[in-house]
Amino acid sequence: MTFTFVTLFENLVSPYFEDSILKRALQSGKIKIDFKNPRDYTDNKHNKVDNYQAGGGAGLLMFPQPLSALLDELKRDNPNVHIIFPAPAGKPFRQIDAKRLAKKEHIVFVSGRYEGIDERVIEEYGDEVFSIGDYVLTGGELASLVMSDAISRNIKGVLGNEDSLDEESFEDGTLEAPSFTKPNIFKGSSIPSEFLKGNHAIICTLKKEMSGLKTKYFRPDLFLRNKGQ
Ligand code: SAM
């Protein structure tokens, strides 16, 4: 999988890949990353990438020309690129999307800055538009990192223990059951006694029950969605 980050601020993105699981994924060739700066594609004297909003409105917008030139080049080089625009107005990014997108060959994340990107660019080039939550960030870099991280861990060979993927939150529409490790008693609170007895069938039933209760308590929206299925 190749991730191309289209951003005015490469340094906001690149350090994330310098440690831990994604560093190893890069080293082993499971993922590749590269960066494209819209400023390198401008055809104006001062390499401007933003302008006032048509019809008025606070703040500046990224205008089409540099992004269009950049994305045309990427598509020429690889017609199979899958282009994603992070945006507050996008559909919510979910685990099911992370799993689906992990099968792509080359994903391009186009980070907006200022008040965002001229809508016509998104319509022309966007294969998908995703929001990572109901709040407004200063730019798309964090959202692109969030998505590329979630996608990467679903690529075969990126995680050390792939079994952990099956038991995680959202896999079956619920949150993962509470997890515990040593010590058996921490500040007076004990690990559920069945977890210490080693009967896997009982532990499994208990975890399922706790997962349901946790989902109902923390994410009633998920709980109701599952009930409706
Ligand atoms: N004016 C836009 C609006 O109200 O919808 C907000 C633009 S925001 C300040 C600048 C950029 O940050 C966006 O173009 C997008 O790339 C990114 N962004 C901000 N919030 C986001 C979110 N919740 N999910 C994904 N991307 C987001």
Side-chain angles (χ1 to χ4, degrees), residues 86-88 111-117 130-133 135-140 143:
S111 291
R113 277 272 148 182
Y114 319 112
E115 277 314 307
I117 296 173
F130 280 117
S131 164
I132 62 155
Y135 39 77
V136 178
L137 301 163
T138 53

Side-chain angles (χ1 to χ4, degrees), residues 3-221:
F3 294 117
T4 297
F5 295 93
V6 175
T7 171
L8 294 165
F9 301 103
E10 173 177 338
N11 290 343
L12 291 181
V13 178
S14 56
Y16 191 67
F17 293 86
E18 288 171 11
D19 237 316
S20 189
I21 290 177
L22 295 189
K23 177 185 177 180
R24 286 201 296 278
L26 269 182
Q27 285 171 339
S28 66
K30 302 281 179 224
I31 63 170
K32 295 193 181 85
I33 56 170
D34 60 14
F35 298 90
K36 299 272 178 205
N37 190 332
R39 228 178 268 293
D40 297 334
Y41 290 80
T42 51
D43 63 4
N44 64 77
K45 212 163 86 195
H46 300 291
N47 302 117
K48 257 170 67 92
V49 293
D50 54 329
N51 215 330
Y52 298 107
Q53 299 191 42
L60 302 165
L61 272 188
M62 293 176 76
F63 61 80
Q65 181 276 318
L67 284 170
S68 172
L70 188 163
L71 294 170
D72 280 341
E73 182 186 277
L74 276 175
K75 284 177 75 139
R76 246 190 334 266
D77 291 348
N78 180 1
N80 292 326
V81 286
H82 191 75
I83 302 178
I84 292 176
F85 285 83
K91 59 186 170 179
F93 183 76
R94 297 189 198 285
Q95 182 72 359
I96 194 172
D97 299 304
K99 286 176 105 71
R100 172 175 57 83
L101 292 167
K103 300 193 174 78
K104 298 274 178 206
E105 165 205 328
H106 187 168
I107 295 177
V108 178
F109 293 104
V110 187
S111 291
R113 277 272 148 182
Y114 319 112
E115 277 314 307
I117 296 173
D118 187 305
E119 195 68 24
R120 293 167 296 177
V121 179
I122 301 175
E123 281 178 13
E124 174 68 22
Y125 293 97
D127 291 304
E128 297 190 77
V129 185
F130 280 117
S131 164
I132 62 155
D134 292 347
Y135 39 77
V136 178
L137 301 163
T138 53
E141 287 78 9
L142 275 175
S144 303
L145 277 176
V146 165
M147 290 187 269
S148 56
D149 181 298
I151 292 167
S152 293
R153 65 201 304 285
N154 283 287
I155 295 171
K156 210 170 163 39
V158 166
L159 288 187
N161 177 6
E162 273 161 24
D163 290 348
S164 57
L165 283 174
D166 298 333
E167 291 175 8
E168 278 185 322
S169 294
F170 310 114
E171 277 310 306
D172 59 355
T174 60
L175 302 179
E176 188 179 38
S179 314
F180 306 91
T181 180
K182 300 277 173 204
N184 293 354
I185 297 177
F186 169 67
K187 291 193 184 260
S189 175
S190 172
I191 293 176
S193 56
E194 294 298 348
F195 279 37
L196 304 173
K197 292 184 192 155
N199 182 326
H200 287 290
I202 294 178
I203 294 172
C204 194
T205 310
L206 197 59
K207 278 193 169 179
K208 221 172 167 44
E209 218 171 285
M210 292 201 297
S211 152
L213 289 171
K214 197 172 173 183
T215 310
K216 190 172 180 186
Y217 185 78
F218 285 109
R219 291 290 304 273
D221 58 317

